[in-house]
Amino acid sequence: MKCTILVFGDVVGKIGRLALAAALPKLKSKFKADLVLANAENLAHGRGITPKIILDLESAGVDAFTSGHHVWENQTGLQLLNDPAHHIVRPANVDPFLAGKGYMILNVGNHEIAVLNLQGQLFMSQTASSPFLAFDRCWAELTATAKTKPVVIVDLHAEATSEKLALGNYVDGRAAAVYGTHTHVPTADEKILPDGTAYQTDVGMVGALDSVIGFEKNSSIKRFLQQTEAPYKLTEKGLAEVNGLAITLDMNTGKTLHLDRIREIVDI
Ligand SMILES: [Fe+2]
Ligand SMILES: [Fe+2]
């Protein structure tokens, strides 16, 4: 059996949410998608999640969410990280006392897909343990009870391209796919690694086109010029970029058959 998964990187603020909702019907139909994943860390005005936002995106066609360090920054959304009614993960290799879980099992047809969220250690604001060893621990747990090879999708939320490429190659042949998030800029290196793992260093964001990684450009420039922590502003309307990846898996082998990079521009 084949299975096609659409994955989207960091969805930034209202314009990102609206752009994803606008683009999804056509993309799901074009790729005959069985599952849609999106990174939720920047959904609520750039920081974290809220119940209404998650419900809205579920209604728009997102099945499950990965995230990253910003997901804990909105108090109203923390309850969702432990709510079994929603499919949301946060990086597995951070403080275990923080809310949420690091991986989830999703049912797609008669098959199960595990979605694992990891965070990088290099140039990140939040301390994380080794994502390499965290993958090994998750893989050991999944294979301990499985009758067949687990199908595992990894969102690697990280800054450094070298760390992402190293992890992709470390899990080649075990994970079905590893894709990067966090930098918000898509990389042109999508490929299937030698042992069948789909890989892209960063799938890119869903957010304002005329921006600095989704944030209003003058507020971002001011932070660099003045070396301050001045608040970011978000652009609410205009053109938005929708970046993602369509991954077609062979569910019997847990390997990737085909990849397509997604980039749409929509007017919000
Ligand atoms: Fe982000
Ligand atoms: Fe991030």
Side-chain angles (χ1 to χ4, degrees):
M1 175 199 167
K2 290 182 186 176
C3 175
T4 297
I5 306 172
L6 303 186
V7 304
F8 297 92
D10 309 47
V11 183
V12 185
K14 186 177 181 183
I15 191 171
R17 304 192 308 264
L18 294 175
L20 185 57
L24 259 184
K26 193 178 82 176
L27 291 171
K28 288 178 76 165
S29 167
K30 176 181 177 182
F31 292 105
K32 297 181 173 58
D34 300 293
L35 182 68
V36 176
L37 306 176
N39 189 296
E41 78 153 3
N42 302 117
L43 279 175
H45 211 68
R47 295 187 179 276
I49 57 179
T50 69
K52 181 178 185 310
I53 285 171
I54 291 297
L55 285 170
D56 284 350
L57 279 180
E58 288 170 345
S59 297
V62 180
D63 297 300
F65 299 88
T66 56
S67 66
H69 51 113
H70 287 307
V71 79
W72 291 281
E73 292 176 357
N74 190 317
Q75 293 293 314
T76 58
L78 290 183
Q79 54 178 308
L80 295 166
L81 296 175
N82 292 323
D83 184 343
H86 302 281
H87 302 299
I88 307 171
V89 285
R90 49 70 157 182
N93 54 325
V94 298
D95 187 336
F97 293 104
L98 290 173
K101 56 192 178 300
Y103 72 88
M104 58 188 165
I105 310 289
L106 303 174
N107 292 307
V108 181
N110 295 323
H111 292 264
E112 290 185 341
I113 293 178
V115 178
L116 169 65
N117 205 174
L118 296 172
Q119 195 153 275
Q121 291 182 296
L122 296 181
F123 314 123
M124 297 294 286
S125 59
Q126 183 181 41
T127 302
S129 62
S130 167
F132 296 78
L133 300 182
F135 179 89
D136 288 344
R137 283 194 295 276
C138 174
W139 184 255
E141 285 180 27
L142 291 169
T143 53
T145 53
K147 293 190 179 74
T148 57
K149 181 187 173 194
V151 177
V152 183
I153 307 293
V154 180
D155 176 339
L156 175 56
H157 196 74
E159 182 76 29
T161 53
S162 58
E163 187 177 22
K164 289 170 164 175
L165 271 160
L167 188 123
N169 281 282
Y170 181 65
V171 306
D172 185 19
R174 291 188 287 171
V178 176
Y179 63 95
T181 59
H182 173 70
T183 72
H184 294 207
V185 177
T187 55
D189 65 340
E190 75 278 11
K191 57 190 161 185
I192 300 173
L193 297 172
D195 289 324
T197 298
Y199 177 82
Q200 187 180 3
T201 296
D202 206 298
V203 293
M205 69 168 183
V206 182
L209 181 67
D210 185 24
S211 73
V212 175
I213 63 168
F215 297 92
E216 195 278 319
K217 58 189 180 185
N218 289 314
S219 67
S220 181
I221 291 168
K222 186 176 176 184
R223 288 169 65 100
F224 285 101
L225 269 179
Q226 300 182 353
Q227 298 187 20
T228 63
E229 292 294 315
Y232 284 117
K233 294 176 184 166
L234 268 78
T235 304
E236 298 282 324
K237 290 172 70 89
L239 296 179
E241 55 186 281
V242 178
N243 294 299
L245 191 62
I247 307 165
T248 300
L249 304 177
D250 180 338
M251 296 299 287
N252 297 320
T253 63
K255 296 188 177 188
T256 293
L257 298 168
H258 187 75
L259 278 180
D260 283 293
R261 187 145 46 99
I262 296 168
R263 181 171 173 82
E264 302 270 326
I265 307 296
V266 295
D267 197 355
I268 299 300

